Amino acid sequence: MMLELKSLKKTYQQGDEKIEIYNDLNFSLKEGEQVAIMGKSGAGKSTFLSLVSGIIKADSGDIVLNNISYNDLQENELNDFRASNIGFIFQNFHLVSYLNALENVMLPAKVCGISNPKEKAIELLKAVGLEHRLNHIPSQLSGGEKQRVAIARALIHNPKIILADEPSGNLDEETGIAVMDKLFELIKQNNTTLILVTHSKDVAARCEKTYQLAHGVLNLC
Ligand SMILES: Nc1ncnc2c1ncn2[C@@H]1O[C@H](COP(=O)(O)OP(=O)(O)O)[C@@H](O)[C@H]1O
Ligand SMILES: [Mg+2]
């Protein structure tokens, strides 16, 4: 297995109240698999991705990605591990507002010390159809263009896994389809593993498996 979640427990403290999101979550994913996760708002989908990325810690249990157990890593080791192994795509793009498209895409490559980041970034921006927008900053790009920059950025360091949180959630239907076409084209070319959170059945149908998240349990649809 490329990814395993073992008996994860996660609660949040909200004032005096403790909210339990996961009590005993188990999940596994094979290399190169693409899975969709659906579920109501507040079900814990983003929490799931944050746990897998190691950005937040589970109360107990363990996550193993690519044979590395998160419980065995110090915080700085986990940060390095995340930077080189995981790519992110968010609903709100999360581009750096003062960097142009090319610079945004180059960022993860620089963090990981990948060679020829500029050539790779240009190649990926071409692949997502943005070779004419290299020097534009995010405010000069449309929503669909911003998300295509984010897709290029998520792929530049050849991550083992991409985590996408409602990547077409802020796009109109037609743009969303075009952007998802690009994402899946590149993911299939590179045999990248994908966990994709979406509210769209059409988007989910592009994945090999769809899980429904409710009451802290992931059920295969
Ligand atoms: N940092 C936090 N502190 C307290 N509660 C949180 C925090 N993050 C999320 N929650 C709560 O946990 C639940 C699940 O959130 P989330 O994972 O974002 O759901 P989804 O992405 O499925 O909409 C929600 O009720 C949310 O309010
Ligand atoms: Mg969410």
Side-chain angles (χ1 to χ4, degrees):
M1 282 298 162
M2 124 145 235
L3 172 69
E4 275 188 276
L5 277 65
K6 299 177 178 173
S7 194
L8 283 194
K9 193 177 170 72
K10 177 68 195 167
T11 51
Y12 287 120
Q13 193 75 37
Q14 276 187 2
D16 291 341
E17 220 187 322
K18 226 179 186 178
I19 348 173
E20 183 181 278
I21 310 293
Y22 297 111
N23 175 36
D24 179 20
L25 181 69
N26 295 282
F27 180 76
S28 61
L29 193 60
K30 290 190 197 118
E31 184 157 13
E33 232 179 346
Q34 294 117 34
V35 303
I37 294 180
M38 302 189 77
K40 284 187 187 150
S41 181
K45 304 180 299 297
S46 295
T47 300
F48 178 87
L49 295 183
S50 299
L51 286 165
V52 171
S53 70
I55 288 170
I56 63 168
K57 268 195 164 313
D59 303 348
S60 62
D62 197 10
I63 297 177
V64 181
L65 176 60
N66 217 23
N67 297 317
I68 301 291
S69 156
Y70 287 16
N71 287 347
D72 291 343
L73 297 179
Q74 301 294 322
E75 195 172 325
N76 60 328
E77 294 172 323
L78 186 54
N79 289 342
D80 291 346
F81 180 78
R82 176 191 313 122
S84 36
N85 289 283
I86 301 180
F88 295 95
I89 306 170
F90 301 94
Q91 181 174 5
N92 296 322
F93 323 123
H94 287 212
L95 298 177
V96 180
S97 62
Y98 54 84
L99 297 181
N100 67 29
L102 184 59
E103 292 161 341
N104 264 287
V105 175
M106 282 165 64
L107 267 185
K110 287 195 158 168
V111 173
C112 300
I114 279 175
S115 57
N116 306 324
K118 193 170 180 183
E119 284 77 8
K120 282 191 182 129
I122 292 172
E123 196 182 302
L124 275 163
L125 282 162
K126 267 189 192 155
V128 296
L130 288 179
E131 59 271 35
H132 56 309
R133 292 284 185 269
L134 303 184
N135 299 317
H136 286 56
I137 58 169
S139 64
Q140 299 166 332
L141 298 169
S142 71
E145 288 173 337
K146 279 190 261 217
Q147 198 57 303
R148 283 187 279 151
V149 173
I151 288 170
R153 182 185 57 183
L155 285 159
I156 190 161
H157 54 308
N158 292 318
K160 288 273 178 289
I161 185 164
I162 299 247
L163 305 177
D165 200 350
E166 302 188 38
S168 56
N170 264 356
L171 305 174
D172 63 78
E173 196 180 345
E174 193 182 333
T175 307
I177 289 171
V179 166
M180 287 303 101
D181 283 348
K182 278 290 168 213
L183 173 64
F184 277 85
E185 184 187 318
L186 290 170
I187 281 218
K188 288 190 172 150
Q189 261 172 31
N190 296 300
N191 197 33
T192 310
T193 311
L194 172 73
I195 304 178
L196 176 113
V197 167
T198 182
H199 285 293
S200 159
K201 283 196 172 134
D202 292 337
V203 173
R206 295 172 182 252
C207 295
E208 292 158 19
K209 289 181 184 167
T210 299
Y211 291 89
Q212 190 74 33
L213 176 60
H215 312 295
V217 178
L218 282 162
N219 283 310
L220 195 58
C221 294

